[in-house]
């Protein structure tokens, strides 16, 4: 066995880091708070400490003890992302971060590259830790020339000092995860910008909402590359403004990897046309009596909610379901589209904080932790032409396992409610 490795935090990332460590011949152990012994003792006698992104620096005694040892030069302390990157056979990947749009852009970029003959896989915050990809490559389960397309959260970028994608995109910066950073929004932004630390300047890609030179532009719904029209987004499933931004970033990434003119080849544009965004992001669940029911459970911050509201047809309103786990965010931006909100139903741990912002500006009702009741109340306030929109602006873990379970519960509640109204004739 090689040097002993301690992994802080379990979960998917912690288990992936342990698997990679064992593949490399390291003695590896996972330890979570609270430790069975004093934190300083728990992290002693290890040559390498790897932290899972779920371990919160501000509240984890283990993380703080590890950081103190690292500051004294006694141990190397890195993130799971860094650990996975170091052990990719070719140390080659591309990466996407930002507050919103990461998953769609990651999936889209991977889809476009595969269609263009570049073998690629999604990794990172999208659900498959980079350590698992590195282990798969080392075990021969993936070809060594496979290119990981890595969705990267701010959590993963912490302690990722040598992470060096060949190209990287920063899509946008909005209020999110402020409860993790003592320095507030500015520190959050600084961590996000760290994705570019070892990326050549010409391969640093910024979303359309950020000031930067770019080769891809969107004008009147049409996407242009170096001034030449590539595609009319109206012909795609990416025509909403937020998805136009995601498409622009994915094409910018492809420009850095494909041969000159590669994005104008038929297989590339066909791949754009065939791409379907994943579930739980502005997903139509049902429609009855002129009312649409839309699952946007992946909207875990106010900026995502605004993006969803801006997809509504003109002069149409939404009844919003808002609430969940607070991340220390500012909910005031929700008022930017208050004319589009007929009513809001607030539930979960964060409902009181949202109520303070909406009071006197958007009518609302509070529903504590009865999610099915919240869906029923929202439906009762909707008029023909409205959209009942689950776009919570919060994390899900106060009442649900994750945003996927929350979205599935919404869909089930909608179908049950509409089936009951239609006389129990089955799913709507």
């Amino acid at each position: 066995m090689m040097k002993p490795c301690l992994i802080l935090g379990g979960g998917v990332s912690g288990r992936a880091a342990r698997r990679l460590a064992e593949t490399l011949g390291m003695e590896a152990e996972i330890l979570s708070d609270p430790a069975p012994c004093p934190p300083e003792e728990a992290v002693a006698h290890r040559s390498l400490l790897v932290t899972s992104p779920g371990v919160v620096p501000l509240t984890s005694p283990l993380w703080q003890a590890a950081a103190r040892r690292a500051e004294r030069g006694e141990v190397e302390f890195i993130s799971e992302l860094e650990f996975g990157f170091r052990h990719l056979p070719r140390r080659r990947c591309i990466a996407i971060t930002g507050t919103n749009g990461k998953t769609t852009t990651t999936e889209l970029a991977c889809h476009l590259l595969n269609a263009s003959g570049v073998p690629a896989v999604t990794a990172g915050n999208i659900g498959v830790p980079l350590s698992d990809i590195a282990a798969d490559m080392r075990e021969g389960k993936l070809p060594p020339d496979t290119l990981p397309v890595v969705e990267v959260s701010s959590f993963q970028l912490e302690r990722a000092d040598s992470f060096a994608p060949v190209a990287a995109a920063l899509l946008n910066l909005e209020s999110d995860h402020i409860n993790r950073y003592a320095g507030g929004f500015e520190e959050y932004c600084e961590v996000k910008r760290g994705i570019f630390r070892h990326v050549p300047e010409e391969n640093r890609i910024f979303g359309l909402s950020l000031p930067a030179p770019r080769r891809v532009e969107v004008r009147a719904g049409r996407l242009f590359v170096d001034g030449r029209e590539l595609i009319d987004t109206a012909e795609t499933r990416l025509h909403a403004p937020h998805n136009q931004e995601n498409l622009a970033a994915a094409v910018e990434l492809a420009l850095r990897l494909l041969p000159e003119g590669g994005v104008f080849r038929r297989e590339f544009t066909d791949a754009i046309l065939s791409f379907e965004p994943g579930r739980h992001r502005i997903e139509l669940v049902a429609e009855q009596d002129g009312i649409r029911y839309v699952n946007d459970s992946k909207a875990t911050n106010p900026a995502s909610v605004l993006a969803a509201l801006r997809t509504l047809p003109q002069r149409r309103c939404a009844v919003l379901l808002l609430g969940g786990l607070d991340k220390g965010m500012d909910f005031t931006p929700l008022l930017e589209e208050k004319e589009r909100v007929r009513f809001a139903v607030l539930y979960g741990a964060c409902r009181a904080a949202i109520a303070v912002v909406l009071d006197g500006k958007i009518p609302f009702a509070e529903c504590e932790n009865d999610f099915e009741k919240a869906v029923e109340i929202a439906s009762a306030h909707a008029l023909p032409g409205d959209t009942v929109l689950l776009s919570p602006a919060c994390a899900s873990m106060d009442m649900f396992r994750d945003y996927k379970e929350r979205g599935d519960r919404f869909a089930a509640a909608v179908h049950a409610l509409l089936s009951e109204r239609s006389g129990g004739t089955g799913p709507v």
Side-chain angles (χ1 to χ4, degrees), residues 12-340:
V12 174
S13 294
R15 292 193 296 271
R18 179 174 61 186
R19 177 192 167 206
L20 176 57
E22 291 173 348
T23 299
L24 296 166
M26 295 182 182
E27 177 187 343
E29 179 187 358
I30 292 176
L31 195 61
S32 299
D33 288 301
C37 55
E40 292 284 356
E41 181 181 333
V43 300
H45 312 299
R46 314 290 178 130
S47 301
L48 177 66
L49 303 176
V50 179
T51 181
S52 167
V55 179
V56 182
L58 293 177
T59 59
S60 169
L62 273 176
W63 197 101
Q64 294 164 12
R68 287 192 292 270
R69 283 203 68 207
E71 287 170 4
R72 295 194 296 264
E74 298 170 354
V75 71
E76 189 172 25
F77 183 28
I78 63 175
S79 70
E80 179 274 322
L81 178 76
E82 173 80 5
F83 187 50
F85 175 76
R86 288 185 184 184
H87 296 290
L88 290 172
R90 299 188 179 182
R91 296 190 71 167
R92 188 170 182 269
C93 69
I94 62 173
I96 296 103
T97 196
T99 306
N100 298 310
K102 297 186 295 296
T103 299
T104 298
T105 305
T106 300
E107 291 175 340
L108 177 56
C110 187
H111 178 72
L112 297 178
L113 291 172
N114 277 314
S116 303
V118 177
V121 293
T122 59
N125 195 55
I126 201 166
V128 182
L130 193 56
S131 291
D132 265 333
I133 299 298
D136 283 345
M137 289 183 178
R138 289 179 170 273
E139 294 171 357
K141 296 175 181 176
L142 279 174
D145 63 343
T146 302
L147 180 73
V149 182
V150 190
E151 176 185 327
V152 183
S153 70
S154 62
F155 301 179
Q156 292 168 316
L157 284 168
E158 298 162 6
R159 310 199 76 86
D161 295 336
S162 73
F163 181 59
V166 295
L170 173 59
L171 303 177
N172 43 58
L173 291 167
E174 303 286 351
S175 177
D176 203 353
H177 301 300
I178 307 306
N179 59 330
R180 188 178 178 99
Y181 299 106
F185 182 63
E186 286 306 314
E187 183 181 354
Y188 167 72
C189 292
E190 182 180 351
V191 172
K192 284 286 195 184
R193 293 188 187 103
I195 198 170
F196 295 133
R197 187 178 292 115
H198 301 294
V199 176
E201 189 170 351
E202 64 273 16
N203 288 348
R204 299 175 186 180
I205 296 157
F206 293 86
L208 298 180
S209 62
L210 299 173
R214 53 181 53 89
R215 296 178 63 184
V216 179
E217 297 178 291
V218 178
R219 300 196 297 268
R222 296 175 182 271
L223 193 124
F224 294 82
V225 176
D226 297 329
R228 176 181 171 188
E229 184 174 338
L230 177 66
I231 202 164
D232 183 349
T233 63
E235 300 173 0
T236 76
R237 297 172 182 85
L238 298 161
H239 50 80
H242 67 283
N243 273 330
Q244 291 176 3
E245 294 187 4
N246 297 335
L247 174 59
V251 173
E252 287 272 13
L253 285 165
L255 285 168
R256 272 63 176 188
L257 293 160
L258 299 181
E260 187 69 27
V263 300
F264 288 98
R265 293 178 64 88
R266 179 65 179 269
E267 57 264 32
F268 189 87
T269 52
D270 281 351
I272 296 175
L273 293 170
S274 66
F275 180 77
E276 295 187 31
R279 292 197 57 217
H280 306 291
R281 188 72 179 101
I282 316 183
E283 174 189 28
L284 180 64
V285 169
E287 187 167 358
Q288 187 181 82
D289 301 327
I291 299 170
R292 301 169 73 246
Y293 295 81
V294 171
N295 167 21
D296 192 36
S297 182
K298 209 168 188 305
T300 60
N301 54 64
S304 290
V305 180
L306 296 178
L309 289 170
R310 288 163 185 161
T311 67
L312 297 177
Q314 286 189 343
R315 296 183 295 279
R316 298 298 175 90
C317 291
V319 177
L320 273 178
L321 286 107
L322 293 167
L325 189 66
D326 192 3
K327 295 183 282 182
M329 297 177 295
D330 176 13
F331 293 106
T332 305
L334 292 172
L335 301 178
E336 292 177 20
E337 295 290 337
K338 63 182 180 181
E339 292 80 8
R340 310 298 298 274

Side-chain angles (χ1 to χ4, degrees), residues 278-426:
R279 292 197 57 217
H280 306 291
R281 188 72 179 101
I282 316 183
E283 174 189 28
L284 180 64
V285 169
E287 187 167 358
Q288 187 181 82
D289 301 327
I291 299 170
R292 301 169 73 246
Y293 295 81
V294 171
N295 167 21
D296 192 36
S297 182
K298 209 168 188 305
T300 60
N301 54 64
S304 290
V305 180
L306 296 178
L309 289 170
R310 288 163 185 161
T311 67
L312 297 177
Q314 286 189 343
R315 296 183 295 279
R316 298 298 175 90
C317 291
V319 177
L320 273 178
L321 286 107
L322 293 167
L325 189 66
D326 192 3
K327 295 183 282 182
M329 297 177 295
D330 176 13
F331 293 106
T332 305
L334 292 172
L335 301 178
E336 292 177 20
E337 295 290 337
K338 63 182 180 181
E339 292 80 8
R340 310 298 298 274
V341 182
R342 184 180 303 284
F343 194 82
V345 183
L346 314 183
Y347 67 89
C350 204
R351 63 185 184 277
I354 300 174
V356 169
V357 172
L358 302 191
D359 192 26
K361 300 175 181 67
I362 295 175
F364 65 89
E366 294 188 53
C367 202
E368 298 189 359
N369 296 325
D370 189 336
F371 189 65
E372 283 68 24
K373 185 66 174 177
V375 174
E376 182 181 343
I377 293 171
S379 181
H381 280 84
L383 301 177
D386 286 354
T387 296
V388 173
L389 177 63
L390 172 67
S391 195
C394 300
S396 57
M397 286 78 78
D398 60 333
M399 293 170 58
F400 307 96
R401 182 174 60 254
D402 52 28
Y403 75 86
K404 297 176 184 177
E405 183 186 8
R406 178 169 61 187
D408 289 340
R409 281 272 296 278
F410 173 73
V414 167
H415 285 306
L417 179 64
L418 300 189
S419 178
E420 179 182 345
R421 289 181 184 171
S422 61
T425 55

